[in-house]
Amino acid sequence: MSLATDSPVHSSSSGDFAAFLDAELDSISSDSSPNEEEVNDEFNSDSSDSSPNEEAENDSEIESQRIKRCRVETVENIEDPKGSTSHGSLEQNLGSFGDMCILCGQMLNEETGGVTFGYIHKGLRLGNDEIVRLRRTDMKNLLRQKKLYLVLDLDHTLLNSTRLMHITLEEEYLYSQIDSLQDVSKGSLFKLDFLQMMTRLRPFVRMFLKEASQMFEMYIYTMGDRAYAMEMAKLLDPRREYFDARVISRDDGTQRHQKGLDIVLGQENAVLILDDTETAWTKHKGNLILMERYHFFASSCHQFGFNCKSLSELKSDESDRDGALASVLKVLRKIHHMFFDELVDNLDDRDVRQVLKIVRKDVLKGCKIVFTRVFPTQFQADNHHLWKMAEQLGATCSRDLDTSVTHVVSQDAGTEKSRWALKNKKFLVHPRWIEAANYLWQRQPEENFPVNQPKNH
């Protein structure tokens, strides 16, 4: 085969990449002589007729020769864009399976650079130069299709799960509403006995994935383990239409308790992230769209310190039409349209992070905000997350009152600044007004966020 024409770097799917790698390794047995086939079968079986000493001597050499033959036979056909062979550069930069070079079969030392992409193919490690090349090629293909990348968190973003042992008495009615696992595409509440879990898909999630897949190549990225991640992917994408092999778990990450785009085969200037946890993406906040957490089960509320009843205990749920996923889909459409249809610079030079910043700043544009009794005493106001959030949404924040102020944000209607707002017919709103605008990406009706009157009123 010619890698210049058949290599998955000419495809935008890492699923194709996985298939390509499988085919490359599997092709050895079909191309081998009968004696070589016997050796390969013996290597892959749990028992053989060889003595233990002979196996110990030959195993490493057999595997090395097996991969080396495959790569040497195919590399002769690899051509770079200028038509010259690129054997040398690939040998240096392509990567490895485990500790073995993909191309030549040589054992690599611990100092070899690169990143492990185990979710694409077990043991696959790509060199830094090869990652850059793959991302660049994939990016060109996606831009031709008018697509960007979208990385999606699972828990509290697309769904909510709970251990069966944590189901409360008020939630036991859910057992009678479980949907069949035979055709998960028709359901939203599932009991997974082998995981001892119950999972609720967030309202509107199926329509969200269908619509988003037209604009983005999508990844799942969860801090859950791989077994859990794969089962959730089956519930969300039973026909493997949206994610294919692009399911990343905590087992695949390169940093403990952190998520990073280093294991996503997409260029950072074309990646958007949906996640409910900002601290998981400390290096990529410019790519992040923060989601309002989905707390369907009681255990989820307790996990985050809420003492209120959960949606399940209230026998309620988010709105399909006006819920978090429906709202963020509108934002994604706007960003996609602006990126491809409104920006005038060269397509290759555009940065979705700048588009995201522009769209976010439009939410509270024209608002001038003063805070009162929101921040702790002696706290530097402009360092508070609400102050920063308001500015990111396009508002101007001030410490002083004047006629240009449009909103006073407070938890107490009895403060001097709160009374000034009421007297001068300015909006007096609870801090949740800013948070709601941040999650829903549009200015919310101020009357829905009243401030409590003082207790001695």
Side-chain angles (χ1 to χ4, degrees), residues 33 45 47 57 62 71 74 88 122 187 221 251 266 283-284 308 317 366 443:
S33 66
S45 65
S47 61
E57 277 183 12
I62 289 170
R71 293 302 168 186
T74 57
K122 185 178 180 180
Y221 198 148
D251 307 318
K283 294 183 179 180
H284 306 287
C308 57
D317 211 338
R443 180 172 163 176

Side-chain angles (χ1 to χ4, degrees), residues 253-439:
T254 58
Q255 302 174 69
R256 188 174 177 83
H257 305 310
Q258 279 286 301
K259 297 179 179 180
L261 295 179
D262 55 341
I263 56 172
V264 174
L265 285 176
Q267 291 193 18
E268 289 186 28
N269 64 341
V271 178
L272 290 175
I273 302 164
L274 293 190
D275 203 313
D276 67 284
T277 306
E278 185 177 20
T279 54
W281 295 97
T282 54
K283 294 183 179 180
H284 306 287
K285 290 184 179 180
N287 303 81
L288 177 65
I289 296 176
L290 192 63
M291 294 291 294
E292 184 177 12
R293 287 194 174 108
Y294 180 47
H295 297 294
F296 182 75
F297 295 107
S299 65
S300 181
C301 290
H302 299 157
Q303 177 187 349
F304 289 91
F306 298 118
N307 294 319
C308 57
K309 287 186 177 294
S310 66
L311 289 168
S312 59
E313 290 175 318
L314 294 170
K315 297 186 177 181
S316 180
D317 211 338
E318 289 185 354
S319 165
D320 259 37
R321 187 183 66 180
D322 302 318
L325 288 176
S327 296
V328 82
L329 181 61
K330 296 175 184 175
V331 176
L332 294 176
R333 286 197 186 109
K334 187 173 184 178
I335 293 171
H336 183 274
H337 174 75
M338 186 177 293
F339 185 94
F340 284 104
D341 301 325
E342 293 187 11
L343 297 184
V344 295
D345 54 332
N346 187 286
L347 189 60
D348 293 334
D349 297 329
R350 296 176 192 176
D351 193 326
V352 74
R353 292 168 292 193
Q354 296 304 315
V355 179
L356 178 58
K357 189 180 294 186
I358 292 169
V359 173
R360 181 180 276 124
K361 275 190 170 295
D362 204 39
V363 175
L364 293 182
K365 184 179 179 181
C367 297
K368 185 172 181 179
I369 297 172
V370 168
F371 294 89
T372 174
R373 204 163 293 180
V374 173
F375 312 139
T377 306
Q378 306 301 323
F379 191 91
Q380 189 171 339
D382 54 4
N383 279 338
H384 195 274
H385 77 278
L386 279 176
W387 183 293
K388 292 181 178 180
M389 184 182 290
E391 288 187 330
Q392 289 173 348
L393 295 172
T396 301
C397 297
S398 175
R399 293 177 175 83
D400 304 314
L401 296 171
D402 60 50
T403 56
S404 65
V405 170
T406 60
H407 293 75
V408 171
V409 177
S410 178
Q411 298 187 49
D412 183 353
T415 70
E416 182 180 346
K417 290 178 180 177
S418 295
R419 291 195 296 269
W420 177 90
L422 295 173
K423 180 180 178 181
N424 290 275
K425 295 183 169 38
K426 306 292 185 178
F427 291 112
L428 178 63
V429 293
H430 193 275
R432 284 195 297 268
W433 176 76
I434 297 176
E435 294 173 340
N438 185 59
Y439 287 126

